[in-house]
Amino acid sequence: MPERPPVAFEPFSEDHQAFRRTVREFCEKELRPHALEWDLAGEFPAALFRRFGELGLLGIRHDPAWGGSGLDYWYVVAYAEELVRSRNAGVGTAMLVQGEMATPIIGDIGTDEQKREFLAPALRGEKIAALAISEPDAGSDVAAIRTTARRDGDDLVLNGSKMWISNGTRADFLTLAVRTGEAGYGGISLVTFPTGVKGFSVSRKLEKVGNLASDTAVLYFDDCRIPRRWLLGEENQGFYHIMTGFQGERLVAAVTAVAASALLLEDAMRYGQERKAFGRPVASFQVWRHRLAELGSRVEAARWLTYRAADLFNRKEVSVKEVSMAKLVACDLAQDVAYDCMQLHGGMGYVVESDVARAWRDVRALTIAGGTSEIMKEIISKSAGL
Ligand SMILES: Cc1cc2nc3c(=O)[nH]c(=O)nc-3n(C[C@H](O)[C@H](O)[C@H](O)COP(=O)(O)OP(=O)(O)OC[C@H]3O[C@@H](n4cnc5c(N)ncnc54)[C@H](O)[C@@H]3O)c2cc1C
């Protein structure tokens, strides 16, 4: 066999890999042992936010001036990939919302005062952050949100409701989308909203199919008064900022989907070699060898599509099409992988305490949250001029 040529594109340096090993060890030692317990309890200890903060995991790509590490996006990729080894998607969701979804926009367009008040304590894990965009009547159609922020002197007065908000029951502040102007996308603004404000309440915690340790809330705003200086970025430019922020959210979802799929396959191969039927390991039946070979190939294809999007994102190039493709392909694929891996586990796969059962429930959210697969197809077809 001739020697293989070196891989031309290797995103992870030795430093990235050393960081990856640290995150893996943390996830396997401190989080994994509690995966089932936290899932059954429907929450994890809030102290974990501070632990993640201490380890620098909430501010990987954030500005060191506010407590971040100022590292490149490949560190975030390594982090999100290893986070699935906690085997509790609820913890992963909460921490990724904190560091990668609710706060990057504050770092990008917030004032120094907003960074001091909201961003810095969030990166330390002292304040819990949530991203509140979706509403009972507006999920995919962000331009249809109805929560209003009316100007009153130097204040904004907020009324309305938000739904499916991750970290919502215990958030100290929200990165919140509100209507400040005309109907449609041109009348939306973002604000930083401290949840201690009078008139704010958590209507209820939603009981979900999976991601059980992550709290998902319905929020209510009744004449909530905040200073106008908590506007995030320019008034009525919120839609644009939300769409920009979605890229990071969707990319990290794709990375998570690929990593979760790879871990499901790793587990399934191990189980399939140990578990015997008709005197032989079930993984030795050709149907399973071929199924695993096919899924493994598709996961590898999704991984490199996702890395392509991550590379563009890391270089701050326009990556909307590639990020949407990666989210679509990786999150849809995770459904097939989870279904087949559960099937390979037979009856054990249907037992709640098994890792594969939890993963099967957890990955289901991936094609819905952060933009559905159908919306990804809308974006991709529009970018192709259709
Ligand atoms: C676990 C979880 C966590 C979440 N966390 C957050 C959070 O932290 N913050 C937040 O703001 N939101 C959050 N969400 C909300 C999530 O972003 C929305 O659920 C999602 O965007 C879909 O919106 P929807 O539920 O209103 O579905 P709808 O928009 O009502 O869509 C219903 C169906 O119609 C399809 N559809 C809609 N429009 C089109 C179209 N143009 N073409 C074809 N099909 C279409 C959709 O794909 C979907 O299949 C979370 C959701 C989940 C499940």
Side-chain angles (χ1 to χ4, degrees):
M1 276 268 285
E3 209 176 309
R4 292 166 69 189
V7 177
F9 176 60
E10 174 49 66
F12 301 104
S13 66
E14 254 315 302
D15 287 348
H16 290 112
Q17 298 297 28
F19 170 79
R20 174 192 294 285
R21 285 190 291 275
T22 308
V23 179
R24 180 177 294 205
E25 196 180 312
F26 165 62
C27 291
E28 290 188 336
K29 279 202 180 138
E30 294 187 37
L31 306 180
R32 187 182 175 182
H34 304 284
L36 180 62
E37 169 199 335
W38 292 339
D39 217 49
L40 295 177
E43 67 174 12
F44 61 85
L48 263 193
F49 284 99
R50 277 178 192 262
R51 182 77 184 115
F52 271 70
E54 278 162 19
L55 293 171
L57 299 176
L58 301 174
I60 295 170
R61 63 181 166 116
H62 287 266
D63 187 346
W66 304 104
S69 304
L71 296 169
D72 68 35
Y73 195 74
W74 292 108
Y75 285 91
V76 176
V77 173
Y79 163 57
E81 287 181 341
E82 296 308 319
L83 207 44
V84 303
R85 297 205 172 248
S86 69
R87 309 226 176 214
N88 188 312
V91 174
T93 299
M95 298 305 160
L96 291 171
V97 165
Q98 178 90 0
E100 295 301 320
M101 299 176 198
T103 49
I105 194 80
I106 305 176
D108 287 346
I109 62 170
T111 60
D112 280 1
E113 191 186 6
Q114 285 173 311
K115 291 177 187 173
R116 204 167 28 251
E117 185 70 23
F118 302 105
L119 178 64
L123 301 189
R124 291 194 297 268
E126 288 167 10
K127 282 190 178 175
I128 299 176
L131 177 67
I133 297 170
S134 307
E135 299 186 354
D137 296 321
S140 301
D141 189 2
V142 174
I145 63 157
R146 295 203 302 220
T147 297
T148 54
R150 177 177 50 82
R151 194 168 169 172
D152 183 21
D154 285 340
D155 290 343
L156 291 170
V157 180
L158 278 67
N159 282 284
S161 180
K162 294 285 166 183
M163 181 132 169
W164 302 290
I165 307 308
S166 307
N167 292 351
T169 69
R170 48 190 182 181
D172 295 295
F173 73 90
L174 314 172
T175 301
L176 173 68
V178 288
R179 182 158 300 286
T180 42
E182 63 193 33
Y185 68 87
I188 295 173
S189 300
L190 284 175
V191 295
T192 42
F193 179 90
T195 54
V197 165
K198 188 165 166 258
F200 171 79
S201 59
V202 176
S203 304
R204 69 190 174 102
K205 177 179 168 184
L206 296 167
E207 297 299 330
K208 304 189 299 302
V209 169
N211 253 298
L212 300 182
S214 154
D215 59 301
T216 310
V218 184
L219 308 177
Y220 187 59
F221 306 82
D222 180 17
D223 276 338
C224 295
R225 188 173 284 272
I226 58 168
R228 219 177 144 261
R229 65 179 195 281
W230 287 159
L231 261 176
L232 191 50
E234 253 182 85
E235 189 169 344
N236 294 328
Q237 293 298 305
F239 188 81
Y240 167 76
H241 297 313
I242 292 167
M243 292 304 142
T244 307
F246 269 159
Q247 299 317 304
E249 177 169 352
R250 289 169 183 167
L251 186 50
V252 93
V255 171
T256 300
V258 171
S261 297
L263 188 59
L264 274 158
L265 286 178
E266 196 181 306
D267 288 350
M269 281 187 230
R270 191 182 323 106
Y271 186 82
Q273 275 155 7
E274 285 163 13
R275 179 75 180 171
K276 297 216 168 46
F278 302 95
R280 48 194 278 209
V282 292
S284 72
F285 293 110
Q286 192 182 48
V287 65
W288 284 114
R289 289 174 48 246
H290 285 193
R291 189 80 55 86
L292 292 169
E294 185 196 327
L295 290 172
S297 307
R298 289 171 65 196
V299 169
E300 215 41 33
R303 181 191 305 281
W304 286 97
L305 177 63
T306 302
Y307 283 178
R308 162 72 177 147
D311 180 46
L312 292 170
F313 188 81
N314 185 43
R315 289 191 278 124
K316 303 197 179 351
E317 302 278 344
V318 176
S319 55
V320 176
K321 183 179 76 177
E322 289 79 5
V323 167
S324 306
M325 286 177 166
K327 183 174 192 290
L328 172 66
V329 169
C331 296
D332 278 3
L333 171 61
Q335 312 309 314
D336 292 351
V337 173
Y339 181 94
D340 282 339
C341 289
M342 183 192 250
Q343 186 71 17
L344 185 143
H345 278 75
M348 210 46 222
Y350 204 64
V351 173
V352 165
E353 71 190 41
S354 69
D355 284 341
V356 68
R358 191 163 56 257
W360 177 75
R361 286 186 284 106
D362 290 346
V363 298
R364 192 64 195 86
L366 288 167
T367 65
I368 300 170
T372 64
S373 289
E374 291 73 27
I375 294 302
M376 295 308 104
K377 289 176 201 172
E378 278 297 293
I379 297 169
I380 297 161
S381 50
K382 274 184 194 145
S383 69
L386 296 171

